[in-house]
Amino acid sequence: MPTSAADLLSAAYNDADRTIDLRRRLHRQPEIGLHLPKTQQMVLEAIADLPVEITTGTSTSSVVAVLRGARTGPTYLLRGDMDALPVHEHTGLPFASENPGAMHACGHDTHVAMLLGAARLLAERRDELTGQVVFMVQPGEEGFHGARYMLEEGLLDVVPGAPVSGAFALHISSTMDSGSVNVRPGPMMAAADQWRMVVHGRGGHASEPHAAADPIPVAAEIVLALQSMVTRRVDVFDPAVVTVAHIEAGSTSNVIPDTAFLEGTIRTLSARNRVEVVAAVRRVATSIGAAHGLQVEFEHVEGYPVTVNDPSAAAGVLDTAAELLGAPASRLSPAPLMGAEDFSYVLQRVPGAMAWLGACPPGLDPDTAPPNHSNLVVFDEEPLPAGVALYAQMALRALGG
């Protein structure tokens, strides 16, 4: 008889101590980037007793584990990311980071713990699976394109003759109601691009600006013009964010500098708008420079694409969450988030969905709680078993035939 949702959730909560212990051990030893040897070792130790086929990455410290069901069939992928952020933790938690300048401020420690908890639940229910589950444990999500490296190494074809045909990822949030599952069809998270520009002027004495070519007022004009460009040139129903996050020019009070440096980010929710907004930022900057007789050197650094949820997969997440946790916990997100995710690379290749698991700590308001990426962020651990069960139930739903 297939495992009921209630039994699966109960099993996840019965194993909660193991899930939380792994999460806390990961939290104490955060690592940044594509090469996470200590984290990888903890992952391998956590699944060493499971009947899975393990492959580790060659270009990164990724881990791929394949669980084969009782019958042949399709392959379904569950993903958890495991890298931390270059943030110095100030939470005061008893299991706070022991590595100065590194912190699991985005909750990737919880993602790994939930994913591996699901691997255990599914291993105990192999007889119910028609096909294979691929557990994707990836480094380098925080700007290092870890998912892309794993795809290049053959992630989707790790099971010969049965390529991955569906995928699911779960992301925790400290600013959503604890225990809620939040998802939407279509764009779920934004594309993220970086830009940098240098305004080239001609230095001189600050008392004689006419004898120099001051790049600072030109840079200031560019900043203001970019804000107007977004409001006047970008469709409000296909929104974009252009943020100037860093400006640097000059060294003292009586010298006009040769250059002014600016950098920032562009966030968009469609491939078309992404191309158009990048081009518009370049055009505004270079044209304003030209109007003042100055050259603007512009550089675009392409980041993650839009994270697009398959409508059917998103509907499946909502149904599964309602079945497991009750209808109030299953929530249709009203709008995308303008953050970015490299699970987008997977969703470009196979239909699937990314959902958010709320974990606002008790006593805090989700609207004002320290958010993901804050050095003060704390995640409620109580809903972690619910995340474990959700991961497992999504695979059972896909492969339970």
Side-chain angles (χ1 to χ4, degrees):
M1 173 180 285
T3 304
S4 70
D7 287 344
L8 192 69
L9 186 62
S10 177
Y13 273 98
N14 287 339
D15 203 35
D17 287 348
R18 183 180 353 222
T19 300
I20 291 171
D21 175 69
L22 177 58
R23 182 263 162 145
R24 293 183 177 186
R25 285 190 287 117
L26 291 164
H27 194 89
R28 287 191 183 97
Q29 296 295 326
E31 296 176 295
I32 297 166
L34 294 168
H35 302 286
L36 321 174
K38 293 180 181 178
T39 307
Q40 183 188 55
Q41 187 58 38
M42 282 190 272
V43 169
L44 293 173
E45 289 172 357
I47 58 176
D49 63 331
L50 299 184
V52 293
E53 302 161 15
I54 297 172
T55 305
T56 55
T58 56
S59 60
T60 75
S61 59
S62 63
V63 177
V64 177
V66 178
L67 175 68
R68 294 183 182 271
R71 296 164 297 279
T72 59
T75 302
Y76 191 75
L77 182 147
L78 299 174
R79 178 271 211 162
D81 41 3
M82 59 178 173
D83 58 319
L85 283 160
V87 171
H88 190 79
E89 182 165 356
H90 288 285
T91 63
L93 290 170
F95 53 90
S97 170
E98 297 173 0
N99 296 339
M103 176 188 175
H104 273 295
C106 202
H108 295 184
D109 51 338
T110 70
H111 302 170
V112 173
M114 290 188 290
L115 180 68
L116 301 190
R120 190 166 297 277
L121 289 187
L122 291 168
E124 294 167 354
R125 292 160 179 79
R126 292 174 69 190
D127 290 346
E128 298 179 34
L129 296 173
T130 299
Q132 301 76 224
V133 183
V134 172
F135 301 96
M136 172 190 179
V137 191
Q138 73 150 93
E141 190 283 322
E142 295 291 353
F144 293 90
H145 304 267
R148 191 176 67 192
Y149 283 98
M150 294 184 73
L151 290 167
E152 290 171 354
E153 291 186 2
L155 171 70
L156 300 183
D157 297 304
V158 68
V159 180
V164 171
S165 57
F168 174 67
L170 193 57
H171 202 303
I172 203 161
S173 172
S174 65
T175 56
M176 296 179 181
D177 291 333
S178 190
S180 65
V181 176
N182 307 264
V183 71
R184 71 188 306 274
M188 184 71 186
M189 298 183 73
D193 293 286
Q194 292 177 277
W195 56 264
R196 306 183 186 103
M197 64 179 76
V198 179
V199 182
H200 291 276
R202 187 175 65 258
H205 200 287
S207 66
E208 297 181 326
H210 63 282
D214 194 345
I216 292 179
V218 176
E221 190 172 329
I222 290 171
V223 172
L224 295 177
L226 290 177
Q227 312 314 305
S228 298
M229 181 273 292
V230 171
T231 62
R232 310 261 63 83
R233 301 293 301 170
V234 177
D235 185 348
V236 295
F237 297 106
D238 188 7
V241 171
V242 177
T243 296
V244 181
H246 178 198
I247 303 176
E248 189 172 334
S251 59
T252 189
S253 63
N254 62 347
V255 176
I256 291 172
D258 288 322
T259 61
F261 173 80
L262 303 88
E263 67 178 335
T265 187
I266 298 169
R267 305 297 173 109
T268 47
L269 292 171
S270 70
R272 177 190 62 79
N273 211 26
R274 184 184 194 184
V275 172
E276 292 183 359
V277 173
V278 170
V281 171
R282 181 192 301 270
R283 183 174 61 249
V284 166
T286 56
S287 297
I288 288 174
H292 292 276
L294 304 188
Q295 178 189 2
V296 176
E297 178 185 355
F298 182 86
E299 179 186 7
H300 167 228
V301 181
E302 188 173 285
Y304 298 158
V306 184
T307 302
V308 181
N309 283 342
D310 176 78
S312 178
V317 175
L318 290 170
D319 290 345
T320 302
E323 182 184 12
L324 274 173
L325 308 174
S330 178
R331 301 185 181 180
L332 179 66
S333 298
L337 297 173
M338 298 308 280
E341 245 289 347
D342 78 345
F343 190 59
S344 54
Y345 291 123
V346 175
L347 295 182
Q348 284 184 325
R349 303 273 294 273
V350 298
M354 165 169 274
W356 287 79
L357 176 67
C360 182
L364 295 184
D365 183 342
D367 290 335
T368 56
N372 291 34
H373 288 221
S374 166
N375 65 344
L376 298 173
V377 67
V378 175
F379 300 100
D380 184 11
E381 294 178 325
E382 196 282 330
L384 296 189
V388 170
L390 180 60
Y391 267 125
Q393 187 73 346
M394 287 298 295
L396 287 168
R397 181 186 181 98
L399 305 176

